[in-house]
Amino acid sequence: MQLEGLGGGSARWWPDGSGWQTFDYALNIEEGGYTRLTVFANYSDGASNDDGYQWFSNVSLRSKAGATLIQDGAITTGKIAVGAITAESGIIGSLDAGVITTGELRGELIRAESIAAAALAADAIDGKTITGAIVRTASAGARVEMNNNGLWQYNRFGQVMTEMADGMFTAVGDFQTGLDGERRVVMSNKQFSNAVGLRFYPDSSGKEAGITSMSGSGGWTPGSITVTSASTGGIHQEFSQKAPTSSEYGLTRIGTLEDGSWIGGYLELSENGDARLRSRSSSDLELWSSGDVDIDSDSSVSVMARDGTARLRHSDGSWFGVGVDGSGTKVESATINNRTYSGQSEVVITSNSILGRRTSARKYKLDEQLVSPDDYDDALLSIEHKSWIDKSEYEDSQKLAEYREQRPYAPISQRQAEYVDEADLPRHFGAVADDFDAAGLSQFVIYDDYGQVDGLQYSLIGVALIPIVRGLRDRIESLEAQLSA
């Protein structure tokens, strides 16, 4: 039996046939060398003998650590230098074990049906299936965490920013379906300082439309909503709904804004049933249709002008208006003034400011009775015919004179152009209603709601004179008959 090693010498042993014998020898092997054990089945003299046989037991080649032979079980984890056993060292070609228990296991490639560990650290883990209770990018602070209940993303303060769990998706912050400058939808709680909303960008022009819900600042009630169209030069169309409070009704507006201010007109609808079409500029506000326009209400319909005149117009130029001038409120219509008739019913204005027409047909009357002129003839004939200057016209002339005195070179307004200088004020002829009232002729007097004298029914005076004139005629005819007899 011979033991030899490259660069390390050799040794030979021959059994003497006396029984079991033990041989050992130490070789120093050069780096890159080898050790080989050779067994020759011969007698000690080298003669051939087919009947001979030899037994070998516990043949082994072992390394030394220094001058100490490494025995079985002598190497433990604590006695292996860190980094001494690696894939690059060539010490371990492959590792096949049922269970590996270690503080840390490193390798270029680790393949296993199952790896169970309290902690697993690696630059990259590639696998078809990774099964575990929790997968997270960090144990605290900003991180992403996933378990069998869902997925969570935390900020650096440990607050949940994104959550996908139980069929629900929750995200804190802006949500955007495309890149800036592209077609996209943006959902943000930073649209304005007091609002959250959606913004729609249909192309790369930067024009946007949006749906915004206001908070409680800026005069808006919490829960109010605004829908805006794409803006051009700060101008856009808007639908806004102000949520109701305990002290006021909800309000809906549809109109046009420029840099946050209403321009032109807008439609305003209130939850209390009011509906208004308003103008916020000096331009006209029109309600126009190629067909009929119906305005219907279970109560009343109001057309309001804050200044000037509110008019109902026709495309042919005719109009009817109500408004205010220097003398107060007014009702006017040049169209009515231009329409004349040879004979029609007269217009009556009641003490409640209601317009109507005076009728005289028997079909409108009940309980007709003759009125004797003896009841009023002396009183009626006592009324004097008078002339006067209209008080409101005089006051207007004084306003005009005061304006000219204060601003002698300033032009007068269209309203002031209707005023007349005091020297040119016309005198009006007729009777004074107070004289009729004083004479006990109340049937000819118009009274206001407080019983004060207000006007005179001139059309009734002529009718009342008929029986008086007839009586005079009859007396003249009687006297003429007597003179001719």
Side-chain angles (χ1 to χ4, degrees):
M1 183 170 60
Q2 177 176 302
L3 178 65
E4 61 180 333
L6 178 59
S10 62
R12 292 186 178 184
W13 301 275
W14 290 270
D16 57 8
S18 60
W20 288 101
Q21 294 177 266
T22 301
F23 305 97
D24 61 77
Y25 184 73
L27 292 176
N28 293 321
I29 309 300
E30 296 179 358
E31 183 176 355
Y34 63 86
T35 301
R36 181 172 60 195
L37 175 65
T38 305
V39 178
F40 302 96
N42 301 327
Y43 280 103
S44 59
D45 59 0
S48 175
N49 186 345
D50 294 337
D51 296 331
Y53 59 89
Q54 298 177 358
W55 294 89
F56 300 92
S57 177
N58 296 329
V59 177
S60 63
L61 296 176
R62 296 176 179 173
S63 299
K64 280 186 176 182
T68 304
L69 181 65
I70 301 176
Q71 301 294 330
D72 291 339
I75 300 177
T76 62
T77 304
K79 295 181 179 180
I80 299 177
V82 176
I85 302 178
T86 63
E88 293 84 355
S89 67
I91 298 175
I92 301 176
S94 76
L95 181 62
D96 185 3
V99 177
I100 298 176
T101 302
T102 179
E104 183 174 346
L105 180 64
R106 298 183 181 181
E108 289 295 324
L109 177 63
I110 299 176
R111 293 176 178 172
E113 291 294 330
S114 174
I115 298 177
L120 182 63
D123 292 334
I125 300 176
D126 298 326
K128 294 181 179 180
T129 302
I130 299 176
T131 303
I134 298 177
V135 177
R136 62 188 181 190
T137 59
S139 59
R143 66 192 187 278
V144 176
E145 186 173 299
M146 180 175 63
N147 59 33
N148 59 347
N149 292 319
L151 176 68
W152 291 265
Q153 183 253 328
Y154 299 82
N155 63 12
R156 61 192 180 94
F157 302 107
Q159 298 170 319
V160 176
M161 305 302 291
T162 304
E163 177 180 359
M164 287 191 299
D166 298 327
M168 178 183 67
F169 175 77
T170 303
V172 178
D174 294 352
F175 179 79
Q176 184 167 306
T177 61
L179 299 175
D180 289 346
E182 296 180 352
R183 182 175 62 181
R184 65 196 186 280
V185 178
V186 177
M187 180 172 61
S188 173
N189 59 357
K190 297 178 293 185
Q191 291 292 325
F192 304 101
S193 59
N194 62 331
V196 296
L198 287 172
R199 282 290 182 267
F200 304 93
Y201 299 85
D203 50 37
S204 59
S205 65
K207 295 181 179 180
E208 64 179 58
I211 303 174
T212 305
S213 179
M214 300 290 185
S215 67
S217 59
W220 287 91
T221 347
S224 300
I225 189 171
T226 300
V227 181
T228 58
S229 65
S231 174
T232 302
I235 299 177
H236 65 274
Q237 283 70 48
E238 178 170 306
F239 166 88
S240 61
Q241 186 174 37
K242 186 177 181 180
T245 66
S246 58
S247 60
E248 62 180 9
Y249 292 100
L251 191 66
T252 299
R253 283 181 181 172
I254 303 173
T256 302
L257 282 85
E258 180 176 10
D259 298 327
S261 300
W262 293 97
I263 62 174
Y266 62 85
L267 175 63
E268 183 177 272
L269 306 173
S270 174
E271 287 188 353
N272 68 347
D274 291 344
R276 297 183 178 93
L277 187 60
R278 290 186 169 181
S279 174
R280 296 300 295 267
S281 68
S282 58
S283 59
D284 293 338
L285 176 63
E286 295 183 356
L287 183 62
W288 183 89
S289 172
S290 58
D292 295 337
V293 176
D294 294 327
I295 301 177
D296 187 21
S297 172
D298 292 336
S299 180
S300 60
V301 176
S302 299
V303 179
M304 182 178 65
R306 294 190 180 277
D307 194 10
T309 303
R311 293 183 173 92
L312 295 177
R313 293 181 179 271
H314 191 273
S315 59
D316 63 3
S318 59
W319 59 272
F320 179 87
V322 294
V324 62
D325 58 17
S327 301
T329 56
K330 64 178 181 178
V331 176
E332 64 176 329
S333 173
T335 307
I336 294 176
N337 189 58
N338 294 332
R339 187 73 173 258
T340 61
Y341 297 93
S342 297
Q344 289 291 336
S345 301
E346 62 184 29
V347 175
V348 177
I349 303 176
T350 71
S351 59
N352 295 323
S353 301
I354 298 176
L355 295 177
R357 63 187 179 93
R358 187 184 299 278
T359 63
S360 189
R362 179 167 280 121
K363 63 182 179 181
Y364 298 110
K365 297 176 172 63
L366 295 172
D367 192 21
E368 295 180 26
Q369 296 180 8
L370 291 175
V371 178
S372 173
D374 298 337
D375 298 335
Y376 63 84
D377 54 353
D378 290 338
L380 182 59
L381 293 176
S382 70
I383 299 298
E384 301 291 344
H385 185 209
K386 296 181 178 180
S387 72
W388 63 88
I389 292 175
D390 186 84
K391 185 177 180 179
S392 63
E393 292 177 354
Y394 174 79
E395 291 174 348
D396 289 342
S397 70
Q398 298 304 301
K399 292 178 183 177
L400 180 60
E402 182 181 354
Y403 177 81
R404 284 175 172 170
E405 182 180 354
Q406 295 176 350
R407 306 177 65 182
Y409 303 106
I412 62 175
S413 66
Q414 181 179 359
R415 181 185 301 172
Q416 291 170 327
E418 300 175 359
Y419 300 162
V420 179
D421 291 329
E422 182 179 356
D424 298 326
L425 287 174
R427 296 195 69 81
H428 300 273
F429 295 84
V432 179
D434 299 78
D435 292 344
F436 278 76
D437 180 69
L441 300 171
S442 60
Q443 65 269 36
F444 302 102
V445 181
I446 299 174
Y447 299 92
D448 62 19
D449 291 339
Y450 302 98
Q452 301 297 315
V453 175
D454 195 59
L456 187 62
Q457 302 186 73
Y458 279 96
S459 62
L460 301 184
I461 297 175
V463 176
L465 290 173
I466 292 175
I468 296 176
V469 173
R470 184 172 57 243
L472 293 174
R473 182 200 65 183
D474 292 343
R475 290 181 63 186
I476 292 173
E477 291 178 348
S478 176
L479 291 172
E480 289 178 343
Q482 293 177 12
L483 291 175
S484 62

